Amino acid sequence: MNAFPDKFLWGASTAGHQIEGGNVNSDWWAREQSTPGMELSLDACDSYHRFDEDIALLAEAGLDSYRFSFEWSRIEPIPGHFSRAALDHYRRVVDACLARGVTPVVTLQHFTTPQWFAEAGGWTSPDASDRFVRYVAETTRILEGVEWVATMNEPNMQAAIMTAMQRVSAAADGEWTSPTVEREQSGEDRQRAARNMLAYADPEIGRMFAGIHHAAREVLRERTDAKVGWTVAAGALTAAPGGEEKLREVRYGKEDVFWEGSRGDDWVGVQAYSSQEVDEHGPVPHPPHPENTLVGTAYRPDSLGMAVRHAAEVTGGVPILVTENGIATGDDPQRIRYTREALAGLRAAMDDGVDVRGYLHWSLLDNFEWGHWEPTFGLVAVDRETFARDPKPSLAWLGDVARRNGLA
Ligand code: BGC
């Protein structure tokens, strides 16, 4: 069956720092300037001012949901001091969605934190949970009518970034190689990326994040009617011959402890792009290939079906929203082909009983890919000088899928 269930959400996702521009109080703003090899976010896509145009593009194409994030560093630029203007701004974004019949899916923290939070020890500080919960409590003032709320985005990738940054600070390896970007696939880079994946496979980090998430969930449940969850980066990892035991070990720290953290949530966000093998030594560096994406990952649209099946198994059936799936490519027909195959795999998993409530593509816009501008994930191109939006054929294609509520 190609049809999807009634009320299935069809949308696209973004994140504040990647699109808004001028996010001067965040840890990433500072980091971009101090890290060799990173490009600057600067004005990004200027979506802080152009959000209404972005939501209109999405809605007119036929999509009915929009995932975006609140920027903690704008809402709480100084510890304990909350900006009414920033809160009002994000309420206007919510209202712009509702006015167009678009379901907002709000992420309260997408990779960035206030710089003051980072300087005070970030997530590993003993006060991290209280600080985050204080911020989350404040956001509940603007969440009326928002049905889907994620406390944080990809805590497992945030753990990886923490590790990568520690490495950069220790100057052990020199330049920034983002865990989200396996670019410049020299053998040495790939080995380093693979080692890095192991470095953050510490289940204690996962449990720490889960504790903070649960504390935030409690406040959201007390004060709002939202369905609460978080989103997890799904690796769709597989075992190479002889790698079965190592796969279980690596996947537990890197992923499963986070899926476990979502038990008891109202939903969980699955974010899948590619797949990787694990052998007896750990994640196997992925070789260069003509079909590789602009971030160096393998072309693996089947990763989405694999990811939702695995998430359903480990969470014990928590309802799933696909909150990210997409491909970094300059070739829009390849994006359409990838997405069609990914959706076919998703549909097959649903036929087998996996409870999926929506699909939100990454990303609505060509945006700032965490230190890089080159990888383009967008359904809409953005001129970096004029900020003019230029929808790609993939936007109309996905809008048609949404209108039909199924693949042709
Ligand atoms: C993140 C996004 C990122 C995307 C593509 C996810 O890890 O949530 O912020 O742009 O993957 O790399």
Side-chain angles (χ1 to χ4, degrees), residues 339-363:
T339 309
R340 183 196 299 281
E341 289 175 42
L343 288 173
L346 181 68
R347 183 61 263 193
M350 292 166 70
D351 286 342
D352 289 342
V354 178
D355 180 2
V356 184
R357 307 290 174 92
Y359 172 89
L360 290 94
H361 190 84
W362 185 270
S363 177

Side-chain angles (χ1 to χ4, degrees), residues 24 37 68 86 89 110 153 210 219 224 265 278 305 311 331 400 408:
V24 298
F68 64 97
H89 166 81
H110 192 121
N153 178 69
V219 172
T224 74
D265 286 0
V278 176
D331 173 2
D400 280 350

